[in-house]
């Protein structure tokens, strides 16, 4: 049941990936068909992250109000409406509204999926299951990249509906998050859901008691508001989650992800080949990573990942430096591709999934809605800022851009060593005892 529930939830992650991967392969075709200027297409592209910011802010309260499943239903519905609008679009307004709606659904999924999985999974393989969220996002992006080179953009929009529909229908087959049911005081449903998830024969008394105790302690605490996040007792978990989100995004991932094809083009490497290698590498490394999360722990993976990001940025910077100064020209495309692949490989090995895994574990449940929504908002704001500034930075200085990203990733290493605790193999309640004593 845990696997089925996780599978249904990560259909949402796949939907998220297919939204994110849509604009890259379709850019030329959409601009030709609807005769858009580059500015109009840039707006279409960036509305996704804007919609996702709204989705991120509202998904916390929605998931607290109507449950984790209810929030996933809302996300699926928004995505379906958005894809249909894009499919039927005759002009720029319908196209943009569709993009905004898929963005909203995507932002809401990005918050609620890791939270739902962390709340239903047994502690021994919670990390691996939460990592599935990232694997399916990567797979969604990669599938969009590859299918997008084979079909028209309208057909690609229709294909985008499939994972949303699968998620929507699958939600009828799985239980609600037991921790949410306990928090709402629905005790009979809570026990039934937990039993369904752990199996008929399993002894759930201890786990049920731990969750109930923890929820009762929380009930004595006042309802969380935005300003409560800056209270002394929460400041550490807020700093950890927000810090990881900032470093994940400002290390340059979305600039590199959205404009991979133009980076390869500038470096003189065949674009289509580069995109396919990129797509496959991303999925393979993220997938290899899932079984390791609960063995190696979150912290070592973050450190290895951030170190690789610094190396990848520096190799890419060297390649562009040689290109600008007309040195060793034959080495430029090779270095650029090696740099980008080291970067993507390293990102997929830790910095991609771990901030979401840690975010789903680190907040006490009474501030989880507000804090998780805010952390997701910070992440999306970073995604927007980086993807928006990337082209301006590249025209200022191509190698300078990657040196800046290398410096930010080097700071991330220090941040992880000093601030981030290890959470593997602990229950969510034990993590709270360590982080917010």
């Amino acid at each position: 049941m845990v696997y089925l529930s996780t599978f249904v939830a990560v259909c949402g992650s796949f939907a998220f990936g297919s939204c994110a991967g849509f604009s890259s392969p379709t850019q030329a075709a959409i601009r030709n068909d609807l005769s858009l200027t580059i500015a109009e297409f840039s707006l279409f592209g960036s509305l996704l992250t804007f919609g996702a910011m709204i989705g991120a802010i509202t998904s916390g309260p929605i998931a607290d109000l109507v449950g984790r499943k209810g929030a996933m239903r809302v996300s699926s519905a928004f995505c379906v409406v958005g894809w249909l609008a894009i499919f039927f679009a005759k002009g720029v307004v319908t196209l943009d509204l569709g993009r905004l709606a898929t963005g909203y659904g995507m932002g809401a999924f990005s918050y609620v999926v890791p939270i739902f999985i962390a709340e239903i999974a047994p502690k021994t393989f919670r990390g691996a299951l939460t990592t599935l969220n990232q694997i399916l996002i990567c797979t969604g992006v990669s599938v969009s990249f590859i299918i997008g080179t084979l079909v028209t953009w309208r057909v690609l929009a229709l294909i985008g509906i499939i994972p949303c529909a699968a998620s929507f229908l699958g939600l009828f087959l799985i239980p609600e998050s037991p921790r949410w049911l306990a928090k709402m005081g629905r005790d009979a449903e809570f026990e039934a859901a937990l039993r369904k998830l752990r199996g008929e024969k399993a002894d759930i008394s201890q786990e049920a008691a731990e969750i109930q105790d923890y929820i009762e302690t929380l009930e004595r605490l006042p309802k969380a508001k935005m300003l409560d996040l800056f209270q002394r007792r929460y400041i550490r978990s807020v700093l950890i989650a927000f810090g990881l989100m900032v470093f994940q995004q400002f290390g340059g991932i979305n600039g590199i992800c959205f404009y991979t094809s133009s980076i390869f083009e500038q470096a003189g490497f065949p674009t289509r080949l580069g995109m396919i290698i990129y797509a496959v590498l991303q999925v393979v490394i993220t997938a290899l990573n899932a079984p390791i999360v609960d063995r190696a722990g979150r912290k070592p993976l973050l450190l290895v990942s951030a170190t690789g990001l610094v190396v990848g940025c520096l190799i890419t910077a060297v390649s562009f430096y040689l290109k600008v100064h007309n040195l060793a020209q034959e080495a430029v495309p090779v270095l650029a591709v090696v740099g980008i692949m080291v970067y993507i490989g390293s990102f997929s090995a830790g910095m991609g999934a771990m901030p979401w895994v840690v975010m789903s574990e680190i907040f006490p449940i009474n501030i989880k809605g507000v804090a998780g929504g805010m952390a997701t908002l910070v992440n999306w704001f970073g995604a927007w800022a980086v993807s928006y500034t990337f082209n301006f930075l590249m025209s200022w200085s191509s190698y300078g851009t990657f040196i800046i990203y290398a410096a930010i990733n080097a700071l991330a290493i220090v941040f992880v060593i000093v601030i981030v605790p290890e959470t593997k193999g602990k229950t969510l309640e034990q993590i709270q005892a360590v982080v917010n004593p």
Side-chain angles (χ1 to χ4, degrees):
M1 200 56 182
V2 171
Y3 290 136
L4 177 67
S5 303
T6 304
F7 172 75
V8 170
V10 294
C11 282
S13 314
F14 188 90
F16 172 154
S18 52
C19 296
F22 181 76
S23 56
S24 194
T26 56
Q27 181 166 352
I30 293 181
R31 285 191 59 201
N32 290 341
D33 289 359
L34 302 177
S35 50
L36 305 184
T37 63
I38 194 83
E40 285 173 326
F41 190 83
S42 296
L43 176 68
F44 168 74
S46 69
L47 273 173
L48 189 73
T49 43
F50 189 74
M53 284 192 240
I54 305 169
I57 305 172
T58 54
S59 58
I62 291 173
D64 285 348
L65 191 70
V66 297
R68 315 314 192 207
K69 279 170 63 178
M72 287 191 270
R73 280 206 184 94
V74 172
S75 309
S76 302
F78 267 95
C79 286
V80 170
V81 171
W83 284 124
L84 287 172
I86 291 173
F87 175 72
F88 288 116
K90 294 278 184 287
V92 72
V93 177
T94 330
L95 191 71
D96 285 351
L97 285 173
R99 185 70 164 169
L100 197 61
T102 54
Y104 180 89
M106 180 173 154
F109 272 135
S110 70
Y111 164 75
V112 76
V113 172
I115 295 283
F116 176 73
I117 297 173
E119 289 185 345
I120 61 167
K123 63 179 178 185
T124 39
F125 46 101
R126 188 179 62 235
L129 289 176
T130 315
T131 308
L132 277 173
N133 173 41
Q134 191 69 21
I135 296 176
L136 272 107
I137 293 172
C138 293
T139 311
V141 172
S142 300
V143 168
S144 274
F145 276 2
I146 294 164
I147 295 181
T149 55
L150 310 171
V151 300
T152 66
W153 62 271
R154 289 186 194 271
V155 174
L156 190 62
L158 274 187
I159 293 171
I161 293 176
I162 299 170
C164 313
S167 164
F168 192 87
L169 297 171
L171 287 165
F172 290 104
L173 307 173
I174 61 173
E176 179 55 89
S177 154
R179 283 181 167 85
W180 180 77
L181 290 168
K183 185 175 160 224
M184 300 307 279
R186 289 152 66 171
D187 292 347
E189 291 170 73
F190 156 70
E191 297 243 337
L194 192 60
R195 181 160 299 293
K196 228 176 179 178
L197 287 164
R198 298 292 176 260
E200 289 304 314
K201 306 270 191 302
D203 175 21
I204 57 165
S205 53
Q206 192 194 344
E207 190 178 1
E210 265 180 32
I211 294 173
Q212 289 285 23
D213 281 352
Y214 181 56
I215 304 270
E216 275 161 27
T217 316
L218 287 178
E219 288 306 312
R220 298 190 206 109
L221 297 171
K223 266 229 140 326
K225 296 183 198 58
M226 196 67 77
L227 290 172
D228 297 348
L229 299 185
F230 304 103
Q231 289 180 8
R232 276 210 47 195
R233 63 173 164 207
Y234 301 138
I235 208 81
R236 187 156 175 233
S237 49
V238 168
L239 185 66
I240 292 163
F242 285 31
L244 285 174
M245 294 305 183
V246 167
F247 284 118
Q248 182 194 52
Q249 289 300 341
F250 285 92
I253 182 61
N254 267 317
I256 291 164
C257 174
F258 283 15
Y259 301 105
T260 315
S261 50
S262 74
I263 296 173
F264 287 147
E265 219 166 274
Q266 285 176 22
F269 188 85
T271 311
R272 204 171 216 183
L273 176 66
M275 292 291 274
I276 290 174
I277 300 174
Y278 175 106
V280 172
L281 185 76
Q282 194 179 12
V283 175
V284 170
I285 293 196
T286 311
L288 288 175
N289 211 23
I292 306 173
V293 183
D294 290 310
R295 288 202 200 96
R298 327 301 193 228
K299 203 164 173 167
L301 285 174
L302 281 167
L303 291 172
V304 169
S305 174
T307 309
L309 290 174
V310 174
V311 174
C313 287
L314 291 176
I315 296 173
T316 314
V318 168
S319 132
F320 279 115
Y321 182 83
L322 294 176
K323 187 179 177 212
V324 171
H325 295 285
N326 273 332
L327 305 160
Q329 288 300 301
E330 63 287 346
V332 169
V334 179
L335 280 174
V337 169
V338 169
I340 295 293
M341 294 310 163
V342 167
Y343 182 94
I344 270 304
S346 306
F347 185 81
S348 307
M351 219 45 183
M354 287 311 104
W356 296 104
V357 173
V358 173
M359 179 207 81
S360 69
E361 301 173 327
I362 206 89
F363 293 126
I365 200 163
N366 63 316
I367 65 160
K368 208 178 233 182
V370 183
M374 279 306 290
T376 312
L377 175 68
V378 168
N379 188 286
W380 283 111
F381 174 75
W384 172 80
V386 169
S387 55
Y388 185 74
T389 54
F390 184 79
N391 286 332
F392 298 112
L393 281 171
M394 287 295 277
S395 52
W396 159 72
S397 161
S398 50
Y399 59 88
T401 304
F402 284 94
I403 290 172
I404 292 173
Y405 292 154
I408 293 172
N409 287 311
L411 284 175
I413 299 176
V414 179
F415 177 81
V416 172
I417 292 173
V418 177
I419 307 242
V420 179
E422 183 51 74
T423 57
K424 78 165 184 194
K426 298 187 170 89
T427 64
L428 299 183
E429 289 71 26
Q430 287 164 342
I431 294 168
Q432 285 319 309
V434 176
V435 177
N436 301 311

